[in-house]
Amino acid sequence: MHAFRQAVEARDHAAIEGLLAEDVVFTSPVAFRPYPGKAITAAILRAVMRVFSDFEYVREINDVAGTDHALMFTATVGGKSINGCDFLHVNADGLIDDFMVMVRPLSAATALSEAMGAQFDQIRLEATDPTVRLF
């Protein structure tokens, strides 16, 4: 099992952040531009954990080299059931440097977009001031 999956399932925010490279790029399923950097990525992941309920990884696929991972999940957001996949790439140091999320169906993606939009002021605050965090 990938260490990121273990950290998420334990809801261990410090461990999750510790697995991110400083230059990680997060590609959201509901935002046009990727988000570069560890601080914003960690803040987004904390917000996701606040808006998702019933989150569960249901399948994990890893490449032979151990650098690419697909973690399929289910969750609920805004009363909608969502299926998704976290695509992770790890660098030579074993840290996540590329993190892309895809979700379906459209109605759940829309609910996710709305829920994360409501979190974005807090996300920005957490990304710029690490002493201000909601868990």
Side-chain angles (χ1 to χ4, degrees), residues 1-134:
M1 182 182 309
H2 192 272
F4 180 79
R5 178 180 179 173
Q6 290 175 318
V8 169
E9 289 176 344
R11 300 185 67 79
D12 185 340
H13 299 277
I16 292 167
E17 190 167 346
L19 292 167
L20 301 175
E22 289 296 328
D23 63 348
V24 64
V25 175
F26 180 83
T27 304
S28 165
V30 295
F32 178 72
R33 286 189 317 246
Y35 295 95
K38 182 176 184 173
I40 190 72
T41 299
I44 290 168
L45 294 175
R46 285 190 298 273
V48 168
M49 292 179 83
R50 290 191 295 266
V51 303
F52 276 166
S53 59
D54 306 319
F55 182 89
E56 179 182 10
Y57 281 119
V58 295
R59 187 171 180 197
E60 181 173 341
I61 304 167
N62 303 297
D63 75 335
V64 174
T67 58
D68 291 290
H69 311 274
L71 305 172
M72 299 170 69
F73 64 85
T74 60
T76 303
V77 61
K80 303 282 185 183
S81 294
I82 194 166
N83 300 97
C85 192
D86 293 337
F87 295 98
L88 312 175
H89 180 271
V90 296
N91 63 20
D93 296 323
L95 299 175
I96 299 166
D97 63 359
D98 187 48
F99 192 129
M100 181 174 60
V101 181
M102 299 181 105
V103 297
R104 64 161 308 278
L106 179 58
S107 61
T110 301
L112 177 60
S113 178
E114 291 168 1
M116 290 301 289
Q119 294 279 320
F120 218 78
D121 287 341
Q122 180 65 33
I123 291 169
R124 270 196 212 106
L125 183 60
E126 288 182 26
T128 57
D129 184 353
T131 65
V132 180
R133 292 192 177 163
L134 297 177

